[in-house]
Amino acid sequence: FLPTMQRARTTLALAQHQRTTAVTGLNVVRSSMAMHQVRVLATAAKTAEYAVKTQDTRPISPHVTIYRFPPAAIASITTRITGVGLTAGVSATAIATLFGELDLPQYLDMITAIPLGQSAIVFPFVYHTISGCRHLFWDFTQKGINNAAADSVSYVIFAASAALTGYLVW
């Protein structure tokens, strides 16, 4: 967009000064174009100078390592991660089973022999389901959509997911 705008300005300046070229000659057009280029370069130099000058004094936006995420943000991120994990896990298992690379009953026996393996399968299902119910509640009632309520409900979701996962695994 900017090069087009600069070309339009240059063409307009050229058209305005061409009227006077009959009297003063071609040097006026050349000097006008040179002045336009000087203005563009001066603006770029001022911008670069400002960036260098303010680089040390202006704070950088909060970085992930120093920013403390609220419980609602952690719950939202966990919901997205469990959703992606469930989709990837179910899809990979289905594709491997369809193409004969995976003996599903043997694979499930191997994973369910270890309580941690069972938890790795059960927790994403439980958490994503409970979190999905919260979102359905929000969608249908529009209640509890504020920071305080979202934080307290996030703690409840984490606790309920952990408790239900523990109950189902052990």
Side-chain angles (χ1 to χ4, degrees), residues 55-92:
Q55 187 173 13
D56 296 334
T57 59
R58 289 176 50 184
I60 302 173
S61 62
H63 195 269
V64 175
T65 58
I66 64 168
Y67 182 71
R68 184 173 170 258
F69 285 106
I74 295 171
S76 175
I77 292 167
T78 306
T79 301
R80 293 165 197 270
I81 290 171
T82 56
V84 169
L86 288 170
T87 301
V90 169
S91 298

Side-chain angles (χ1 to χ4, degrees), residues 38-153:
V38 167
R39 274 186 274 155
V40 170
L41 291 175
T43 304
K46 286 179 184 176
T47 304
E49 180 184 326
Y50 178 75
V52 170
K53 185 189 300 183
T54 58
Q55 187 173 13
D56 296 334
T57 59
R58 289 176 50 184
I60 302 173
S61 62
H63 195 269
V64 175
T65 58
I66 64 168
Y67 182 71
R68 184 173 170 258
F69 285 106
I74 295 171
S76 175
I77 292 167
T78 306
T79 301
R80 293 165 197 270
I81 290 171
T82 56
V84 169
L86 288 170
T87 301
V90 169
S91 298
T93 303
I95 290 170
T97 303
L98 281 174
F99 291 109
E101 298 291 324
L102 180 69
D103 184 21
L104 189 60
Q106 181 183 1
Y107 178 72
L108 290 175
D109 288 341
M110 179 182 69
I111 289 178
T112 56
I114 307 167
L116 186 61
Q118 290 177 354
S119 297
I121 293 174
V122 172
F123 179 77
F125 277 107
V126 170
Y127 183 84
H128 201 75
T129 301
I130 293 174
S131 184
C133 291
R134 171 183 62 170
H135 280 279
L136 286 174
F137 177 77
W138 282 349
D139 289 343
F140 288 120
T141 65
Q142 288 83 34
K143 293 181 182 176
I145 305 179
N146 58 44
N147 290 339
D151 287 348
S152 60
V153 170

